[in-house]
Amino acid sequence: MSERKDFLRTIVEEDLKAGKYKEVITRFPPEPNGFPHIGHAKSIAINFGIARDYNGHCNLRMDDTNPTTEDTKYVEALKDAIEWLGFEWHGNVRFTSDYFPKLYEYAITLIKMGKAYVDSIDEEEMREFRGTVTEAGKRSKYGERTVEENLDLLERMKKGEFKDGEHVLRAKIDMSAANMKMRDPLLYRIRHAHHFRTGNEWAIYPMYDFAHCLSDYIEGISHSICTLEFENNREIYDWVLDTLELEPPRPYQYEFARLGINYTVMSKRKLLELVEGGQVNGWDDPRLPTIAGYKRRGYTPESILTFCDQIGIAKANSMVDVAQLEFCIRDDMNPKVPRVMCVLDPLKVTIENYEGSEEIDASYYPDDVPKEGSRKLPFSREIYIEREDFSETPPKGYFRLTPEQPVRLKHAYIISCKEVIKDDNGRIIEIKAEYYPASKSGSDTSGIKVKSAIQWLDAKAAKTVEVRLYDRLFSSEAPEGVEDINPNSLEVIENALIEPAVINEKPDERFQFERQGYFYADPIDYSDENPVFNKIVGLKDSWGKKKKSPKQEQKPQAKKEQIDGEVAAMSESEQARYDRYTSELKLNSEVANTLARDEKLSSFYEEALSTLHSPVALANMVSNEVARELKENDVDTLKFSAKQVAELVRMLDEETISGKIAKQVFEEMVKSGENPTQIVEAKGLIQISDPAIIAPIIDEIIAKNPDNVAKFKAGNTKLLGFFVGQVLKSTGGKANPKVVNALVAEKLH
Ligand code: ATP
Ligand code: MG
């Protein structure tokens, strides 16, 4: 179970304690009109997760009330996704269409109770009669129909005697209700369409508001969990179940915030457009946020579930950074997968003083990964290295091979460049090199200093593979559609080279290609004759800092911990720190690694920790902000102390200041050495959380942007971020983003 108890679990526990239900029964109710995406994963994790945590069960129900868009292939995709994520639905897959006869009976009951009627006005009149938010609506004259008339018409609607749109069945509630949804909502509509399960049996189909609550009741659901956009539908949900006076217990609806992720689109409709428009290669294209896409790309179910757990369950919509998901997959694979060498853009190197051949024994795992296993690396005088790992005119800080600078071949020898061979166009085609026999990795007595270790492959033994480098499908943070597609989202490298052991021994399906990233053997296109690997994710977030070139990620910068194989091992004390940080203090491995390996940082961290027990927030501050300062300076030359950093984090924890302001305050501390509290007070940086102050600012921004309001109302929910951003901007980053989010969502709905 997750560590924090979310508001849904709190409700469930209270209901169980009060004896409201014998068992917790939830359901996941997708409409089979597209492949499930990461947003569905969140809903799956919540519904199945809660059932699992409280020994109940969760049903899988296809909400198949819209015959024109639904299909069995989507049913299969939904089943696959749930199984892959590691959950099991209770009994058979259920279908709302299984309940059509029962729902029809309930409709008859409502008519007989005088609580439903057949309306026959056209769409335009219906809109007109509904009224507005400020004006009551009025019921059409058909509201006066007798029970007999209504029963007769409904039956004939069912039999198909009328055309689409000629009549509808409506609940008779209140045409002046404040909640517009309660103004006689539609219960049934006529649809002459073929349904993928019931065929042409029905000419009428129940509306969501009628079918959903009753399907929940029929299945004995206790907690009906859905997303926020159904908040106003809750009243109908309750009305239907209460009006029918059903035997208790009945289900209740609870809403949570929909997951949105930047750099992607998430509605099934938009995904369908990409698939049908050929912008991607099918629903399982690894660039899509579909579960099938993630699965094919090589994401693990664990990483997706960890992500869902990390983002938590909120009551206000917000946008999650895709980098967080990428972080979860890295974090999952780092301690698991073998490290191997792959060269994407080969450059030949002839080691002129090497004769014969040998096989070098090399572990698949670095020292900090508690797994065993090794392979043989063939080595001879002709090898390939990555073209980028040689530079004739190196920029400052280039740690790899140059005419003057030797480099280590990972797991093998140190080489230096003797001669650069070029073709007629001046392109480098070969390096003549020399190796140092005494420099062999593990028994190096050469005394030669190198700054990095690079990947390489024996020319004769290397295998050719296809590598598919995926990048974000959209280059815009809040993409609208096709026009925002990143033209470099897929790069296929047909002739990359890889170690023979990867193909022959198949130690795993997922690998870290040293210095390149994490890769996965494509589950569909991979064969021994034509091996194909998908890039799952790079070794570190390359978008956070540089958003310019999507290719940047491949260009390994001088990253000490990854390049320099020889310094990878942690000392005993570093290891002990690392273990404590990850297990006891629950730091993620990347942060723990940064802190544990750096004496200055870790002692700073521990000192701060002794004043404030907020391990994760402190670790983030120390491994980012403080680390930047400590890189160039010694602790005693810093103007700020660990205690002050703790004070800063405390304000952050208590939500006195926002994350953005915290960074600003830190900059100030670096310069002036003043106390964070003083800085915050003097500059009036205290976070504004009072809705009474924030609300008028939102109103103003809404008034100033009528076009965006209209777009939002027309369904472009991504614009929520725009409004939130504007509010934060106009308060200089001082408004509490959570409060702003909730208020903006409330005002726009
Ligand atoms: P989409 O708009 O992407 O088509 P939907 O809401 O129409 O999604 P359904 O098939 O009706 O998709 O959804 C099944 C369940 O998954 C619902 O309970 C829905 O609330 C939930 N769900 C869908 N999208 C998200 C999301 N982005 N975040 C959380 N839950 C979601
Ligand atoms: Mg839907």
Side-chain angles (χ1 to χ4, degrees), residues 341 358-360 362 375-379 410-411 456 499:
M341 295 195 282
E358 66 184 292
E359 287 198 317
I360 299 168
R375 81 289 197 188
K376 300 263 189 254
L377 291 169
F379 186 84
K410 175 102 189 172
H411 298 300
W456 58 274
E499 297 176 23

Side-chain angles (χ1 to χ4, degrees), residues 647-666:
E647 199 176 313
L648 177 66
V649 170
R650 187 199 309 274
M651 284 192 280
L652 195 57
D653 281 353
E654 287 168 354
E655 297 193 7
T656 311
I657 54 172
S658 67
K660 201 164 164 186
I661 294 293
K663 289 196 179 132
Q664 234 173 287
V665 175
F666 182 77

Side-chain angles (χ1 to χ4, degrees), residues 409-477:
L409 299 173
K410 175 102 189 172
H411 298 300
Y413 301 94
I414 294 173
I415 58 166
S416 59
C417 168
K418 292 286 131 208
E419 193 186 343
V420 182
I421 317 268
K422 296 179 182 173
D423 66 10
D424 294 345
N425 300 319
R427 182 179 153 86
I428 301 172
I429 47 172
E430 189 184 343
I431 305 285
K432 303 271 190 210
E434 187 178 77
Y435 90 116
Y436 302 93
S439 67
K440 193 165 179 183
S441 191
S443 55
D444 183 357
T445 54
S446 71
I448 300 166
K449 287 253 182 301
V450 289
K451 295 206 175 99
S452 69
I454 61 171
Q455 71 267 34
W456 58 274
L457 293 169
D458 181 69
K460 273 200 287 300
K463 302 271 189 191
T464 304
V465 292
E466 179 179 325
V467 174
R468 298 174 183 166
L469 301 174
Y470 294 105
D471 199 352
R472 294 182 184 167
L473 183 56
F474 293 99
S475 39
S476 150
E477 183 151 6

Side-chain angles (χ1 to χ4, degrees), residues 118-187:
V118 173
D119 202 351
S120 312
I121 53 179
D122 60 30
E123 251 181 79
E124 200 175 317
E125 274 178 302
M126 200 174 292
R127 210 172 307 125
E128 229 170 84
F129 279 34
R130 184 165 289 130
T132 63
V133 190
T134 50
E135 240 174 277
K138 59 174 191 276
R139 188 165 287 148
S140 90
K141 62 177 187 223
Y142 301 110
E144 303 300 316
R145 277 175 171 148
T146 63
V147 170
E148 286 68 36
E149 249 180 300
N150 283 320
L151 288 175
D152 173 62
L153 280 169
L154 182 66
E155 189 176 352
R156 289 165 56 201
M157 282 163 67
K158 170 179 175 245
K159 283 188 189 149
E161 287 184 23
F162 305 109
K163 289 202 288 291
D164 285 10
E166 231 179 309
H167 304 286
V168 289
L169 183 74
R170 298 179 77 164
K172 201 172 197 173
I173 306 180
D174 179 3
M175 287 306 289
S176 56
N179 177 356
M180 298 279 289
K181 299 239 163 162
M182 290 295 277
R183 297 187 182 177
D184 291 10
L186 305 199
L187 304 181

Side-chain angles (χ1 to χ4, degrees), residues 262-538:
N262 59 4
Y263 294 103
T264 190
V265 297
M266 220 164 0
S267 91
K268 284 177 285 184
R269 185 180 52 78
K270 287 197 176 159
L271 295 173
L272 180 67
E273 271 169 28
L274 294 171
V275 172
E276 290 191 330
Q279 274 83 28
V280 294
N281 304 313
W283 282 103
D284 67 348
D285 188 297
R287 290 166 293 178
L288 288 181
T290 53
I291 307 300
Y294 288 123
K295 180 177 168 186
R296 176 137 187 210
R297 181 154 175 175
Y299 275 59
T300 55
E302 293 82 2
S303 62
I304 291 177
L305 293 173
T306 305
F307 171 71
C308 291
D309 192 44
Q310 274 184 9
I311 56 178
I313 308 178
K315 277 201 230 188
N317 284 323
S318 66
M319 190 71 85
V320 175
D321 193 338
V322 65
Q324 195 172 344
L325 175 62
E326 291 166 352
F327 176 83
C328 289
I329 179 71
R330 258 185 229 117
D331 207 38
D332 185 32
M333 284 183 296
N334 180 42
K336 288 184 188 161
V337 304
R339 272 61 166 173
V340 297
M341 295 195 282
C342 173
V343 170
L344 297 176
D345 187 4
L347 173 63
K348 187 169 155 187
V349 175
T350 305
I351 304 167
E352 294 192 301
N353 63 337
Y354 189 91
E355 296 294 339
S357 65
E358 66 184 292
E359 287 198 317
I360 299 168
D361 201 45
S363 171
Y364 275 127
Y365 306 98
D367 295 340
D368 57 345
V369 168
K371 284 183 86 171
E372 302 277 325
S374 66
R375 81 289 197 188
K376 300 263 189 254
L377 291 169
F379 186 84
S380 66
R381 62 188 270 127
E382 279 186 8
I383 63 168
Y384 286 110
I385 65 168
E386 200 69 68
R387 183 168 285 279
E388 287 178 341
D389 287 340
F390 173 76
S391 176
E392 224 180 349
T393 50
K396 200 162 166 272
Y398 187 89
F399 290 162
R400 296 162 272 165
L401 187 63
T402 75
E404 277 78 44
Q405 179 171 271
V407 78
R408 174 172 298 284
L409 299 173
K410 175 102 189 172
H411 298 300
Y413 301 94
I414 294 173
I415 58 166
S416 59
C417 168
K418 292 286 131 208
E419 193 186 343
V420 182
I421 317 268
K422 296 179 182 173
D423 66 10
D424 294 345
N425 300 319
R427 182 179 153 86
I428 301 172
I429 47 172
E430 189 184 343
I431 305 285
K432 303 271 190 210
E434 187 178 77
Y435 90 116
Y436 302 93
S439 67
K440 193 165 179 183
S441 191
S443 55
D444 183 357
T445 54
S446 71
I448 300 166
K449 287 253 182 301
V450 289
K451 295 206 175 99
S452 69
I454 61 171
Q455 71 267 34
W456 58 274
L457 293 169
D458 181 69
K460 273 200 287 300
K463 302 271 189 191
T464 304
V465 292
E466 179 179 325
V467 174
R468 298 174 183 166
L469 301 174
Y470 294 105
D471 199 352
R472 294 182 184 167
L473 183 56
F474 293 99
S475 39
S476 150
E477 183 151 6
E480 293 278 338
V482 183
E483 65 277 14
D484 294 317
I485 284 192
N486 168 10
N488 303 312
S489 63
L490 170 60
E491 185 186 351
V492 179
I493 297 183
E494 308 236 357
N495 296 307
L497 296 174
I498 207 161
E499 297 176 23
V502 171
I503 310 297
N504 299 337
E505 291 172 16
K506 296 193 178 53
D508 207 329
E509 294 170 329
R510 292 182 181 81
F511 299 89
Q512 184 188 108
F513 290 177
E514 300 264 7
R515 303 172 63 222
Q516 316 268 23
Y518 291 99
F519 289 79
Y520 180 54
D522 188 274
I524 295 176
D525 295 339
Y526 188 102
S527 68
D528 282 349
E529 297 70 49
N530 183 24
V532 178
F533 289 93
N534 296 328
K535 179 166 181 179
I536 308 170
V537 68

Side-chain angles (χ1 to χ4, degrees), residues 28-31 37 39-40 42-43 225-227 229 256 258-259 266-268:
F28 173 62
E31 182 181 355
H37 49 62
H40 293 105
K42 178 169 180 184
S43 180
I225 299 164
C226 65
T227 34
E229 68 272 23
F256 70 95
R258 231 180 149 71
L259 167 65
M266 220 164 0
S267 91
K268 284 177 285 184

Side-chain angles (χ1 to χ4, degrees), residues 229-255:
E229 68 272 23
F230 293 101
E231 200 170 354
N232 288 338
N233 302 62
R234 192 195 322 131
E235 235 183 306
I236 313 180
Y237 189 102
D238 292 336
W239 183 90
V240 172
L241 297 183
D242 290 341
T243 304
L244 284 166
E245 293 171 358
L246 301 166
E247 193 182 316
R250 53 154 278 205
Y252 285 86
Q253 176 186 307
Y254 303 94
E255 309 91 26

